[in-house]
Amino acid sequence: MDTIVSPFIKQFEIIKDECLHKSKIIIGTMGPETTSSVQAAKYFCDNICNGIQYEFKLYPDFVQVLDFMRNEEELDFALVPSAYERITDFFWDAKLENCLSFIFPTPKYGLVCLGDHEIDFKDGVTIATCHAVEHIIGELSNGIIDENKVTKIITPSTTTALEEVINGHADLAITNQTSFDYYKDKGIRFIFNQYNTDIVWCLFRKRGKK
């Protein structure tokens, strides 16, 4: 008898077998290298590829990932987090199929500012964030930041959000530990809380392609 996990196990076995018969796989996802998406792609390859050569094609946002996945033969797969606000664009695209889903935890996320930047939270702040995590400002700040007084700069990723702080366009950014480590020589620091979560990651390919 099938169980609730049977379809996921079947997907895993099929994709693993197909990848073992390839000399190389190419995965499209959102970059840059420091995004949670790339960390999840590495996790997938470490568990599936078993020594098979792989390459990541990184795009500025998932809109472009979808476009290239639909129209370019080069990509074998597209990897998208379930937290992406338009993931249904992938699920309902007639050219694509969801061929695998798996859980992978994000790096820790938190609010980052420049080390010498003084912030008056009473007067309101400008925070750079991507859509997926814009709602956790209160949790990350222990409720100190009044979200009604926040001006948001919406960015494609948490890495580009951090760049808004580094370039002086925002007071704070919601970013991840991987991005922070990459830019730590820029004099940035975490404030308040940090935490992560388990995310379901969805792998797509062209329908009928093996």
Side-chain angles (χ1 to χ4, degrees), residues 119-138:
I119 303 169
D120 186 349
F121 296 111
K122 294 180 181 179
D123 292 339
V125 292
T126 299
I127 300 179
T129 176
C130 66
H131 273 300
V133 292
E134 63 174 315
H135 63 287
I136 64 172
I137 293 170

Side-chain angles (χ1 to χ4, degrees), residues 166-185:
I166 293 170
N167 293 328
H169 301 147
D171 299 306
L172 298 167
I174 299 179
T175 196
N176 64 24
Q177 186 68 51
T178 313
S179 301
F180 179 88
D181 290 343
Y182 184 81
Y183 283 116
K184 61 184 178 182
D185 63 341

Side-chain angles (χ1 to χ4, degrees), residues 111 134-145 147 174 193:
L111 285 162
E134 63 174 315
H135 63 287
I136 64 172
I137 293 170
E139 287 87 347
L140 289 176
S141 67
N142 295 322
I144 291 175
I145 296 178
E147 296 192 48
I174 299 179
N193 296 328

Side-chain angles (χ1 to χ4, degrees), residues 14-148:
I14 290 172
I15 290 299
K16 187 169 185 178
D17 182 67
E18 289 179 4
C19 287
L20 288 175
H21 289 84
K22 294 177 179 288
S23 59
K24 179 181 180 180
I25 63 170
I26 301 175
I27 300 174
T29 193
M30 186 176 69
E33 185 77 17
T34 49
T35 59
S36 298
S37 299
V38 175
Q39 313 316 307
K42 290 177 179 177
Y43 174 78
F44 166 78
C45 291
D46 288 344
N47 283 271
I48 293 286
C49 292
N50 290 331
I52 298 167
Q53 186 179 6
Y54 60 84
E55 179 183 351
F56 302 145
K57 294 288 186 180
L58 305 181
Y59 301 92
D61 52 52
F62 287 111
V63 173
Q64 292 190 44
V65 174
L66 176 60
D67 183 59
F68 276 84
M69 189 67 211
R70 296 182 79 256
N71 300 305
E72 299 292 333
E73 292 297 329
E74 183 181 24
L75 293 181
D76 294 300
F77 304 109
L79 184 63
V80 187
S82 59
Y84 172 50
E85 69 275 7
R86 292 184 57 181
I87 194 171
T88 53
D89 291 354
F90 287 82
F91 278 108
W92 286 101
D93 193 296
K95 289 186 176 183
L96 305 182
E97 62 180 353
N98 172 226
C99 55
L100 182 69
S101 298
F102 62 91
I103 294 174
F104 180 70
T106 68
K108 285 188 175 181
Y109 280 63
L111 285 162
V112 171
C113 69
L114 289 173
D116 59 352
H117 185 56
E118 294 185 5
I119 303 169
D120 186 349
F121 296 111
K122 294 180 181 179
D123 292 339
V125 292
T126 299
I127 300 179
T129 176
C130 66
H131 273 300
V133 292
E134 63 174 315
H135 63 287
I136 64 172
I137 293 170
E139 287 87 347
L140 289 176
S141 67
N142 295 322
I144 291 175
I145 296 178
D146 183 352
E147 296 192 48
N148 293 319

Side-chain angles (χ1 to χ4, degrees), residues 2-12:
D2 283 349
T3 68
I4 195 170
V5 298
S6 296
F8 299 97
I9 295 172
K10 184 177 180 180
Q11 280 188 327
F12 176 82

